């Protein structure tokens, strides 16, 4: 576990100034990761040790349960702030987690929530002091593992298969949409400016 950061989201340098075949492969890999995690038969609990923007929030939402560290961390789908658009399966995953209305506000505003706000809207299930996040996640795991596996897995599939099947049947189209979007000059300019702003913030 990396302290302070659960995931900084997708590595923007993977789709900034890259060839179309490279961004195609990157997006295909992300689809694979998501489909495997969201569709996993295992119990999956995200121990969110710190910041979790965009792709990081998606990975956390793909799990069955989320424990987040308290502190000055944020979580959410902030894509609009970068001038990019969360694809339909990011949106559906968030709707399945916090509901339609909250997702609509959240996505349009590119909202990044504090741990307390995230808990209030159900984006995370529990908040814990940073040095106890893994412990809280382990305790919760014990509860989930007591449920008969076949019943839990079939229930999870009933809840998740619609989105999994939808994405699985649209993978090529989704890759095409991603690559043609991120290759646009205007989007490349926005991404370049965003990367620069991250570096400036650091110095
Ligand atoms: C159709 C298009 C759909 C695409 C969907 C996209 C999904 C995504 O996930 S896009 C990425 C969204 N992520 C972010 O907006 C987070 C950006 N990062 C941050 O806000 C911060 O780095 C932090 C809060 C996560 C951590 O802050 P801090 O500890 O201060 O770390 P630094 O800012 O010093 O960052 C270190 C280093 O990493 C570079 N960097 C950070 N995040 C990214 C990233 N997502 N992609 C690429 N590079 C990133 C940052 O520029 C620093 O680089 P160096 O100066 O070269 O060390």
């Amino acid at each position: 576990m990396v302290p302070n950061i659960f995931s900084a989201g997708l590595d923007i340098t993977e789709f900034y100034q890259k060839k179309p075949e490279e961004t195609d492969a990157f997006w295909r890999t992300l689809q694979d990761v998501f489909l495997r995690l969201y569709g996993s038969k295992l119990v999956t609990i995200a121990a969110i040790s710190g910041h979790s923007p965009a792709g990081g929030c998606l990975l956390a939402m793909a799990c069955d349960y989320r424990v987040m560290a308290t502190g000055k961390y944020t979580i959410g789908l902030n894509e609009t702030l970068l001038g990019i658009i969360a694809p339909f399966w990011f949106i559906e995953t968030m709707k399945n987690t916090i509901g339609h209305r909250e997702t609509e506000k959240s996505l349009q505003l590119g909202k990044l929530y504090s741990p307390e706000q995230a808990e209030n809207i159900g984006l995370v299930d529990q908040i814990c002091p940073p040095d106890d996040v893994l412990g809280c996640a382990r305790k919760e795991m014990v509860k989930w593992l007591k449920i008969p596996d076949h019943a839990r897995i079939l229930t999870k599939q009933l809840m998740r298969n619609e989105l999994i099947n939808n994405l699985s049947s649209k993978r090529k189209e989704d890759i095409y949409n991603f690559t043609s979007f991120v290759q646009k000059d205007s989007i490349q300019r926005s991404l370049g400016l965003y990367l620069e702003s991250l570096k400036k913030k650091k110095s």
Side-chain angles (χ1 to χ4, degrees), residues 1 45 47-48 67 128-140:
M1 236 174 40
I45 296 189
I48 308 166
V67 180
C128 282
D131 56 359
D132 204 20
V133 172
L134 216 47
C136 291
R138 284 205 181 100
K139 262 190 214 148
E140 184 64 27

Side-chain angles (χ1 to χ4, degrees), residues 5 8-13 15 27 51 53-55 78-79 82 84-85 87 90 178 181-182 194-195 198-199 201-202:
I5 302 177
L10 305 188
D11 183 347
I12 296 167
T13 61
F15 48 98
W27 201 248
H51 292 292
N78 60 329
E79 279 80 355
L82 284 66
I84 56 179
I85 297 160
F90 284 45
F178 172 74
F181 182 75
V182 296
Y194 187 65
L195 282 172
L198 286 175
K199 287 182 200 305
K201 202 183 77 182
K202 198 178 166 187

Side-chain angles (χ1 to χ4, degrees), residues 90-113:
F90 284 45
I91 297 177
E92 288 305 312
T93 306
M94 189 172 239
K95 269 163 63 178
N96 290 344
T97 310
I98 60 171
H100 193 289
R101 177 62 189 139
E102 196 61 47
T103 300
E104 202 174 333
K105 283 190 287 181
S106 189
L107 286 174
Q108 291 191 52
L109 295 171
K111 206 154 161 43
L112 287 169
Y113 299 91

